[in-house]
C-alpha cells in the first residue's frame, strides 16, 4: 500500500507539472529599466568553443547558471544531475556515495559499463577545458563558485571526440576578473531525517593584482551526516566445517558519512592587449565511510547488513594553464591540464563466498559436493568473510590548441589539435582474513584474488568545423574529426595458480605448480596481461540552420559520436579485442524567444542508431571474467524540450523534460557459441535498454515578495524520473529488475537584506526512496544457480528528507 500510494503521488505531481506548464530553470529573470515587462536574461555558453548566445547555437543545450546552482543549493554531482532531465545516472552502494557513478544520455546505455578494464563511458565529463571522464567513478567536484553547468545532448564527436559519444557535461568555474574586488562566504547547517547533523563552510575572494592581473581564491569544507545504518546480522557458510559469522564488531547507526575539503586558485594575467594567460590549481580530498545502499525488504528502511565496514578516500588535484589571444583577426587558444587522482577504498565482499559455499555443497549443481571455497592454514574451511581492498592511481594530461576565425564573418571556422594520455594504475585485493597464507596472491598475505593492472589510453585528433551563411537566414556547418587511439592493458588478474608460468613465443603459458611451475611474486610481473589495441577513424557532422527571424531558429543535424576500442583482460584464447562503437544522430531542433523576450522555448526531436555497441558481461563459460564484445544495435527515438517564462517582475516558471524510447534492434547473445548452438537470445530485439527512463521531467517556480520591509523569496523545485530496467539480459532472472519511478520535491524560502541572505530549505519533502540502482551482491550473473536462503538484494537510494539553514554574505 505504501509503494502504491507513493507511485500515485509521483504521477499526480508529474501530471500537475505538465498541466500547469511549470518548470526547469536555465534562466535568471532580468528586467528592462524602460519597460514594464519582465525579460529573460541572455545566457552565454561556450559549447562550440567560442562565446555565443544560447539562442544562436544550433545544438540542444541545457544550462544551469551560477544563480540557479546557488538557488537550488547544489553542492555535488547528485544535487545538479536531478535537474538535468537529458541525463540519467546510476550509482554504487558499496563502495559508493560521492565519486562513484555512471551517466547516460539519449538512451545510449547497455548496462555493461563500469569495470576498470572495460569500456570507457559514453558521456564526456569536463572540468573547464579538460576531460575528466573516468570509468565508473565520476569526479565529484564540489559545486561552489561555479559559473555554469552546460549539458550538450547528442553526439559531440567532432569538437569533443572520444567519450562524448552521446553527449557532454561541462562544469565551468568562475574565472578571475581584472580590476574587480569582491568576495563572499556561505555558512550552512543541515540535518537529515533519522540521521546526523552536517554543515558547510565556503568562501571566495576575487582581488586585483596591479592593473593587468587578478586572482580568484575559493575554499570549502563540507561534513555530510549519515543516514544508513549498518545493522547487526549474521551470515551462514555451509561446508565440511560450516560457519555462522556476525558483524557485531562493525554494526553502527548512520554509517555513511562524508567529509570533503578543498580549494581552487586561479590567476589571470593580461600579457598585452591581445594575449592573456590563466594558470590554475584545484585540490579536493573526500573521506567516506559506510554504504549508500539499503535492504528494505530483508532488513528495513535505510538499513544494510554488510559483514565488513566500508571506508574510502578520494584525493585529487588538477593543474591547468590556458593561453588565449589573437594573431591578426585569428583567435588562438591553448588549454592544457594535468589531473592526478588517488582513490583508496575497502568494502565487504562476503556475499561472493556465501554464494559459492552453497554451490559447492549442493549436489544439484556440483558433481563433487563437500569442498571448501577457501582453506585455512590447517586445511579446514576458512571462515568466509571477505572484503576488497582497492587502490587506484589515476592520471590524465590533455592538450588542445585551436584556432578560429572572427565570429562576424560570413565564412567562419574553428580547428585544432588534441592529445591526451590517461593512465589508471589499480590494485584490487580480494582478501579472506582466515585463508591460508600459502595460497595468497600477495606474498605473506591472505589475498585470494588480485586484479593489479595498468591501463593506458591515448587519443590524438585533428578536428575542425566550417560554417557558411548562404543567406542572412540560412547557414550550413560541416565538421570532421580524425582520431587515432592506442589503448593498452598490462598486469595481472587471477588466483595464485595464475602466478605460475612463462611467456613462450609471445604467449603466456600456465605451468601448474606440481609440474614445475614456480610462483612469481609479485604476480604483476608475470605479464598475464600485456596487449595493445590501436585504431583510427573519422567522425563527421553536418548541420543546416534557418533563422525565421531574430527570435526564432530551426535546425537539422546529422552527427556521429564514438568510443575507442580496447583490450580484454581474459587470459584464454578465443576472446578477441573489442572495436570502437559509433552513434549516428538525426536531429531536428528549434530555438525560440517569444512574448517580447519573456518566454524561451527550445527543443529537439531525434533518432539515434547505436551500432555494434560495446557490452561488458561476466563470462562464466570460458574465462570467469568480465569481458567486452561488440554485440548488437539499438535505436533511440526521443524528444527533449525546455520552456522558461518570466511571468512578471516577481515570478518565474520553467519546465524541461525528455522522452526516450530506446530499444535493442537485433537479438543479442552473450557469446557467438550460444547463437551458433541455437540457444535463446539473452535479449531479443525490442528489449528496452537499461537505465533509460522513458520520461524525465524537471521544474522550478520561484517567487519574490516582501515580508515587512525585507525582500523575500519562495522556491519549489520538482524532478521526476520514470521507471527503468537495471540490466539488458532478460535471461538474467531474477537479477534483472525494473526500478520504480520517483519524484523529488525541494522547497526553500528566505530573506535578503543589503548584501546578506538568510534561507531555509527542505529537500526531498515527501521523503521519497529513489531506486537509483538495484544490485545482486551474490553474483547474480551466474547462470542457473540457486541463491542462498534469504538472498539480500541491495537498492542504491537517495538522501532522505533533509533540512538546512544557510547564511550568505557578499561584499
Amino acid at each position: 500500500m505504501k509503494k502504491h500510494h507513493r507511485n500515485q503521488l509521483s504521477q499526480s505531481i508529474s501530471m500537475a507539472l505538465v498541466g500547469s506548464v511549470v518548470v526547469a530553470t536555465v534562466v535568471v529573470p532580468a528586467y528592462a529599466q524602460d519597460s514594464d515587462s519582465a525579460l529573460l536574461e541572455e545566457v552565454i555558453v561556450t559549447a562550440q568553443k567560442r562565446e555565443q548566445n544560447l539562442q544562436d547555437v544550433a545544438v540542444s543545450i541545457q544550462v544551469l547558471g551560477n544563480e540557479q546552482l546557488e538557488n537550488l543549493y547544489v553542492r555535488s554531482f547528485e544535487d545538479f544531475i536531478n535537474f538535468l532531465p537529458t541525463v540519467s545516472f546510476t550509482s554504487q552502494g558499496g563502495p559508493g556515495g560521492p565519486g562513484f557513478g555512471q551517466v547516460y544520455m539519449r538512451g545510449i546505455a547497455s548496462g555493461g559499463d563500469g569495470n576498470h578494464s572495460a569500456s570507457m563511458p559514453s558521456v564526456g565529463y569536463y572540468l573547464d577545458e579538460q576531460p575528466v571522464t573516468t570509468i565508473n567513478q565520476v569526479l565529484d567536484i564540489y559545486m561552489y563558485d561555479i559559473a555554469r553547468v552546460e549539458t550538450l545532448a547528442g553526439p559531440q564527436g567532432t569538437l569533443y571526440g572520444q567519450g562524448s559519444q552521446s553527449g557532454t557535461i561541462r562544469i565551468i568555474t568562475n574565472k578571475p576578473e581584472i580590476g574587480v574586488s569582491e568576495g563572499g562566504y556561505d555558512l550552512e547547517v543541515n540535518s537529515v531525517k533519522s540521521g546526523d547533523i552536517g554543515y558547510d563552510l565556503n568562501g571566495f575572494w576575487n582581488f586585483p593584482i596591479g592593473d593587468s592581473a587578478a586572482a580568484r581564491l575559493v575554499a570549502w569544507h563540507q561534513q555530510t551526516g549519515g543516514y544508513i545504518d549498518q545493522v547487526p546480522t549474521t551470515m551462514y557458510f555451509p561446508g565440511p566445517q560450516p560457519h555462522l559469522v556476525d558483524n557485531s564488531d562493525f554494526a553502527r547507526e548512520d554509517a555513511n558519512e562524508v567529509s570533503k575539503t578543498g580549494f581552487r586558485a586561479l590567476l589571470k594575467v593580461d600579457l598585452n592587449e591581445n594575449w592573456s594567460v590563466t594558470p590554475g590549481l584545484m585540490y579536493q580530498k573526500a573521506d567516506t565511510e559506510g554504504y549508500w545502499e539499503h535492504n528494505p525488504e530483508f532488513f528495513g528502511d535505510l538499513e544494510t547488513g554488510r559483514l565488513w565496514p566500508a571506508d574510502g578516500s578520494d584525493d585529487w588535484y588538477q593543474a591547468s594553464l590556458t593561453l588565449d589571444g589573437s594573431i591578426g583577426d585569428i583567435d588562438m587558444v591553448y588549454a592544457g591540464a594535468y589531473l592526478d587522482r588517488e582513490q583508496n577504498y575497502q568494502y565487504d565482499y562476503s556475499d561472493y563466498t556465501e554464494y559459492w559455499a552453497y554451490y559447492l555443497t549442493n549436489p544439484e549443481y556440483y558433481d563433487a559436493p563437500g569442498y571448501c571455497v577457501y582453506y585455512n592454514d590447517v586445511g579446514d574451511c576458512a571462515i568466509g568473510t571477505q572484503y576488497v581492498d582497492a587502490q587506484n592511481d589515476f592520471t590524465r594530461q590533455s592538450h588542445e590548441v585551436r584556432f578560429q576565425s572572427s565570429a562576424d564573418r560570413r565564412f567562419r571556422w574553428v580547428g585544432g589539435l588534441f592529445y591526451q594520455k590517461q593512465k589508471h594504475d589499480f590494485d584490487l585485493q580480494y582478501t579472506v582474513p582466515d585463508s591460508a597464507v600459502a595460497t595468497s596472491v600477495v606474498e605473506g598475505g591472505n589475498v585470494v584474488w588480485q586484479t593489479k593492472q595498468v591501463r593506458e589510453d591515448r587519443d590524438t585528433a585533428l578536428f575542425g568545423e566550417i560554417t557558411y551563411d548562404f543567406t542572412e537566414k540560412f547557414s550550413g556547418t560541416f565538421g570532421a574529426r580524425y582520431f587515432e587511439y592506442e589503448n593498452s592493458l598490462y598486469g595481472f588478474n587471477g588466483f595464485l595458480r595464475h602466478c605460475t608460468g612463462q611467456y613462450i613465443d609471445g604467449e603466456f603459458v600456465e605451468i601448474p605448480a606440481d609440474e614445475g611451475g614456480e610462483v612469481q611474486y609479485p604476480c604483476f610481473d608475470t605479464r598475464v596481461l600485456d596487449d595493445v589495441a590501436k585504431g583510427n577513424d573519422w567522425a563527421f557532422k553536418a548541420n543546416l540552420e534557418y533563422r525565421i527571424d531574430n527570435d526564432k531558429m530551426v535546425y537539422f543535424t546529422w552527427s556521429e559520436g564514438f568510443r575507442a576500442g580496447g583490450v580484454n583482460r581474459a587470459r584464454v584464447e578465443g576472446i578477441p579485442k573489442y572495436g570502437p562503437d559509433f552513434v549516428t544522430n538525426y536531429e531536428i531542433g528549434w530555438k525560440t524567444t517569444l512574448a517580447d523576450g519573456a518566454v524561451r522555448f527550445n527543443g529537439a526531436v531525434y533518432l539515434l542508431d547505436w551500432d555494434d555497441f560495446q557490452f561488458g558481461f561476466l563470462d562464466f563459460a570460458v574465462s570467469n571474467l568480465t569481458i567486452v564484445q561488440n554485440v548488437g544495435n539499438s535505436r533511440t527515438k526521443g524528444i527533449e524540450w525546455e520552456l522558461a517564462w518570466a511571468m512578471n517582475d516577481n515570478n518565474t516558471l520553467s519546465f524541461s523534460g525528455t522522452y526516450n524510447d530506446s530499444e535493442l534492434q537485433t537479438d543479442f547473445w552473450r557469446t557467438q557459441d550460444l547463437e551458433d548452438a541455437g540457444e535463446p537470445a539473452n535479449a531479443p530485439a525490442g528489449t528496452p535498454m537499461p537505465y533509460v527512463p522513458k520520461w524525465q521531467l524537471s521544474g522550478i517556480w520561484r517567487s519574490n515578495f516582501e515580508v515587512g520591509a525585507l525582500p523575500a523569496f519562495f522556491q519549489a523545485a520538482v524532478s521526476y524520473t520514470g521507471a527503468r530496467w537495471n540490466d539488458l539480459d532478460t535471461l538474467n532472472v531474477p537479477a534483472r529488475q525494473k526500478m520504480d519511478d520517483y519524484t523529488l520535491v525541494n522547497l526553500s524560502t528566505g530573506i535578503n537584506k543589503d548584501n546578506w541572505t538568510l534561507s531555509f530549505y527542505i529537500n526531498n519533502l515527501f521523503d521519497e526512496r529513489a531506486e537509483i540502482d538495484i544490485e545482486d551482491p551474490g553474483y547474480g550473473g551466474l547462470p542457473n544457480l540457486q541463491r542462498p536462503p534469504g538472498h539480500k538484494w541491495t537498492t542504491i537510494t537517495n538522501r532522505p528528507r533533509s533540512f538546512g539553514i544557510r547564511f550568505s554574505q557578499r561584499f
Side-chain angles (χ1 to χ4, degrees):
M1 291 296 294
K2 182 179 178 182
K3 190 178 202 180
H4 177 68
H5 174 74
R6 189 167 70 242
N7 288 340
Q8 283 187 328
L9 177 62
S10 300
Q11 294 170 4
S12 298
I13 292 175
S14 303
M15 292 175 64
L17 283 173
V18 176
S20 59
V21 195
V22 178
V23 180
T25 197
V26 296
V27 297
V28 187
Y31 313 111
Q33 299 191 3
D34 57 351
S35 172
D36 293 333
S37 62
L39 303 176
L40 296 175
E41 186 179 72
E42 181 181 69
V43 177
I44 300 298
V45 297
T46 54
Q48 299 297 90
K49 306 287 188 177
R50 67 169 83 226
E51 289 192 353
Q52 293 174 283
N53 185 334
L54 173 68
Q55 298 303 96
D56 294 333
V57 183
V59 175
S60 181
I61 307 175
Q62 275 191 283
V63 181
L64 293 174
N66 176 267
E67 188 167 343
Q68 290 78 39
L69 294 170
E70 290 300 311
N71 290 344
L72 291 168
Y73 299 88
V74 167
R75 289 292 179 262
S76 69
F77 167 80
E78 290 195 18
D79 288 340
F80 74 78
I81 208 71
N82 287 318
F83 296 98
L84 296 173
T86 55
V87 183
S88 59
F89 80 103
T90 183
S91 187
Q92 285 186 329
F100 288 88
Q102 299 172 77
V103 293
Y104 306 106
M105 298 179 72
R106 288 194 174 177
I108 304 303
S110 68
D113 306 309
N115 189 283
H116 298 78
S117 310
S119 302
M120 290 293 290
S122 61
V123 175
Y125 197 60
Y126 276 70
L127 174 55
D128 288 323
E129 293 280 357
Q130 185 186 30
V132 292
T133 312
T134 55
I135 298 174
N136 203 35
Q137 296 165 318
V138 173
L139 196 66
D140 192 48
I141 301 159
Y142 191 76
M143 301 294 290
Y144 183 71
D145 196 44
I146 300 297
R148 63 189 178 276
V149 176
E150 297 180 2
T151 305
L152 289 66
Q156 307 296 322
T158 53
L159 290 183
Y160 292 95
Q162 143 79 354
S164 291
Q165 183 182 44
S166 60
T168 302
I169 300 174
R170 306 178 68 228
I171 298 175
I172 312 297
T173 60
N174 279 323
K175 303 303 186 294
E177 295 184 64
I178 294 177
V180 174
S181 180
E182 64 176 1
Y185 63 90
D186 294 75
L187 310 175
E188 179 182 321
V189 177
N190 53 66
S191 176
V192 61
K193 177 188 175 183
S194 303
D196 283 341
I197 301 294
Y199 61 88
D200 287 17
L201 307 172
N202 315 301
F204 74 94
W205 182 27
N206 189 105
F207 57 93
I209 304 175
D211 296 330
S212 59
R216 194 174 190 96
L217 305 178
V218 186
W220 57 87
H221 177 72
Q222 180 187 57
Q223 185 71 39
T224 303
Y227 51 87
I228 291 181
D229 300 335
Q230 190 170 345
V231 299
T233 189
T234 60
M235 183 175 287
Y236 178 68
F237 299 92
Q241 294 89 34
H243 296 101
L244 181 67
V245 183
D246 66 63
N247 68 344
S248 57
D249 291 340
F250 308 117
R252 68 184 183 94
E253 296 182 347
D254 308 326
N256 60 326
E257 299 178 347
V258 184
S259 177
K260 193 180 298 181
T261 304
F263 71 87
R264 185 170 67 248
L266 289 168
L267 173 68
K268 182 178 181 180
V269 180
D270 284 346
L271 302 176
N272 53 40
E273 293 183 356
N274 297 322
W275 291 88
S276 66
V277 61
T278 306
L281 179 66
M282 185 173 180
Y283 170 81
Q284 181 173 290
K285 179 177 176 59
D287 294 314
T288 63
E289 295 182 11
Y291 296 90
W292 271 256
E293 65 186 21
H294 70 153
N295 308 89
E297 296 182 2
F298 192 84
F299 293 110
D301 183 40
L302 301 177
E303 293 181 345
T304 187
R306 295 283 194 165
L307 289 193
W308 281 93
D311 60 71
S313 66
D314 193 353
D315 195 345
W316 60 270
Y317 73 87
Q318 183 208 51
S320 61
L321 178 69
T322 303
L323 175 68
D324 62 272
S326 59
I327 304 172
D329 60 353
I330 297 176
D331 295 330
M332 191 204 87
V333 175
Y334 164 77
Y338 179 81
L339 176 73
D340 189 304
R341 184 183 188 186
E342 294 184 6
Q343 190 182 54
N344 303 306
Y345 50 87
Q346 182 185 98
Y347 62 96
D348 183 49
Y349 207 64
S350 301
D351 297 276
Y352 177 84
T353 313
E354 179 197 35
Y355 204 106
W356 281 103
Y358 276 88
Y359 173 67
L360 293 176
T361 56
N362 192 331
E364 181 180 352
Y365 302 114
Y366 196 69
D367 57 4
Y371 285 93
C372 302
V373 182
Y374 306 111
Y375 292 88
N376 60 23
D377 287 320
V378 298
D380 294 333
C381 290
I383 298 173
T385 55
Q386 182 176 178
Y387 64 86
V388 179
D389 190 5
Q391 294 86 40
N392 292 269
D393 188 1
F394 182 90
T395 61
R396 180 196 294 260
Q397 60 171 301
S398 62
H399 307 273
E400 180 171 296
V401 178
R402 62 179 181 268
F403 302 87
Q404 56 190 26
S405 65
S406 174
D408 56 5
R409 290 189 170 187
R410 185 173 186 178
F411 177 78
R412 303 177 295 280
W413 55 267
V414 59
L417 297 168
F418 175 81
Y419 170 80
Q420 73 170 345
K421 176 184 176 181
Q422 48 189 327
K423 180 180 179 181
H424 189 185
D425 186 341
F426 52 100
D427 185 0
L428 282 68
Q429 299 183 10
Y430 295 74
T431 302
V432 177
D434 191 43
S435 65
V437 173
T439 60
S440 175
V441 187
V442 176
E443 190 171 12
N446 305 101
V447 180
V448 297
W449 174 282
Q450 184 184 28
T451 299
K452 176 69 173 79
Q453 299 170 9
V454 175
R455 172 177 181 160
E456 291 190 3
D457 299 275
R458 294 180 176 87
D459 301 278
T460 305
L462 172 67
F463 66 91
E465 289 188 359
I466 58 174
T467 300
Y468 183 72
D469 297 334
F470 298 104
T471 68
E472 292 183 356
K473 294 186 175 184
F474 183 53
S475 302
T477 298
F478 175 78
R481 188 182 191 98
Y482 173 77
F483 64 90
E484 296 180 351
Y485 66 87
E486 180 179 321
N487 301 335
S488 63
L489 195 60
Y490 177 94
F492 171 83
N493 50 241
F495 298 105
L496 181 67
R497 65 177 182 268
H498 299 135
C499 292
T500 62
Q502 60 185 16
Y503 268 88
I504 300 175
D505 297 329
E507 294 186 4
F508 183 82
V509 178
E510 184 179 320
I511 303 176
D514 58 2
E515 296 181 12
E518 294 183 358
V519 176
Q520 303 179 37
Y521 287 117
C523 297
F524 176 77
D525 292 334
T526 61
R527 297 168 59 203
V528 168
L529 300 175
D530 187 9
D531 207 349
V532 179
K534 298 181 180 180
N536 60 82
D537 212 321
W538 288 85
F540 296 101
K541 170 186 174 180
N543 170 273
L544 296 173
E545 61 179 90
Y546 179 74
R547 186 162 292 281
I548 300 170
D549 56 38
N550 290 335
D551 296 324
K552 302 180 191 65
M553 178 250 286
V554 294
Y555 66 87
F556 169 77
T557 297
W558 172 86
S559 58
E560 291 182 318
F562 63 93
R563 286 188 300 182
V567 176
N568 271 306
R569 62 176 179 145
R571 300 176 303 276
V572 297
E573 296 182 3
I575 299 180
K577 304 170 188 177
Y578 56 94
D581 57 0
F582 280 80
V583 171
T584 305
N585 173 58
Y586 307 88
E587 177 179 341
I588 297 175
W590 64 90
K591 298 284 182 78
T592 61
T593 303
L594 309 170
D596 296 325
V599 175
R600 180 180 298 137
F601 180 47
N602 300 336
V605 293
Y606 48 84
L607 184 148
L608 281 80
D609 285 326
W610 190 14
D611 297 327
D612 294 324
F613 62 77
Q614 300 168 8
F615 183 76
F617 60 91
L618 286 169
D619 172 39
F620 290 103
V622 180
S623 66
N624 198 33
L625 294 168
T626 298
I627 65 170
V628 180
Q629 292 186 349
N630 299 87
V631 297
N633 305 322
S634 76
R635 169 169 289 180
T636 300
K637 294 175 284 187
I639 181 172
E640 55 200 25
W641 70 91
E642 180 179 64
L643 173 67
W645 179 21
M647 301 173 62
N648 52 44
D649 288 355
N650 296 317
N651 289 274
T652 58
L653 296 174
S654 51
F655 176 54
S656 66
T658 61
Y659 172 83
N660 284 301
D661 182 9
S662 183
E663 294 183 347
L664 194 63
Q665 292 294 293
T666 55
D667 292 344
F668 153 59
W669 286 266
R670 283 193 170 192
T671 65
Q672 185 64 47
D673 290 342
L674 292 174
E675 182 179 359
D676 294 341
E679 295 292 332
N682 290 91
T687 301
M689 301 303 286
Y691 300 112
V692 181
K694 284 200 171 182
W695 288 99
Q696 287 180 269
L697 305 170
S698 175
I700 298 171
W701 166 46
R702 188 172 181 89
S703 179
N704 299 314
F705 52 92
E706 289 190 354
V707 176
L710 293 176
F713 69 89
F714 174 80
Q715 180 172 278
V718 184
S719 65
Y720 170 80
T721 300
R724 60 249 174 267
W725 292 93
N726 69 338
D727 198 343
L728 177 64
D729 189 348
T730 60
L731 300 183
N732 192 13
V733 178
R736 182 177 184 262
Q737 295 194 21
K738 194 170 188 178
M739 298 176 286
D740 290 339
D741 62 341
Y742 60 91
T743 301
L744 304 178
V745 179
N746 299 343
L747 303 179
S748 61
T749 187
I751 56 175
N752 304 291
K753 176 64 175 177
D754 299 327
N755 63 341
W756 60 263
T757 300
L758 178 65
S759 58
F760 171 77
Y761 68 84
I762 304 176
N763 286 341
N764 194 6
L765 176 66
F766 297 107
D767 200 29
E768 181 86 348
R769 295 290 178 271
E771 293 183 343
I772 298 173
D773 201 357
I774 297 177
E775 296 180 343
D776 179 0
Y779 259 35
L782 289 170
N784 303 319
L785 295 185
Q786 175 181 324
R787 286 168 173 77
H791 188 72
K792 299 175 286 296
W793 299 99
T794 60
T795 300
I796 289 78
T797 191
N798 61 317
R799 192 172 179 81
R801 182 189 300 119
S802 57
F803 306 82
I805 299 175
R806 179 198 287 184
F807 179 80
S808 306
Q809 188 172 19
R810 300 293 181 261
F811 49 83

